Amino acid sequence: MGSIGPWQIVLIVAVILLLFGGRKIPELMRGLGRGVKEFKDATQADDEKSSKGERIED
């Protein structure tokens, strides 16, 4: 198993375009970005709580 080359990246991008279409991709990326941002905010909030000595509930 070697590293991913440029032809493999082109193939992956082509398959994604065929599956989702050009109009859906920006929507998907926007949603992914929001999810990552929410995850980072939640982990930072948990870190702040734990550094203050507050109990974190699940």
Side-chain angles (χ1 to χ4, degrees):
M1 283 254 156
S3 63
I4 296 177
W7 289 112
Q8 287 86 4
I9 293 173
V10 169
L11 182 64
I12 291 168
V13 169
V15 169
I16 289 172
L17 281 172
L18 287 172
L19 289 176
F20 296 109
R23 295 182 186 192
K24 272 288 200 199
I25 292 175
E27 244 179 79
L28 292 170
M29 294 298 114
R30 201 172 303 121
L32 181 65
R34 286 184 190 139
V36 169
K37 184 178 185 296
E38 287 178 15
F39 178 76
K40 287 171 78 175
D41 291 344
T43 55
Q44 287 176 352
D46 285 346
D47 288 343
E48 290 173 4
K49 284 182 182 179
S50 63
S51 66
K52 290 181 181 177
E54 295 177 11
R55 183 176 175 178
I56 301 172
E57 297 181 18
D58 291 329

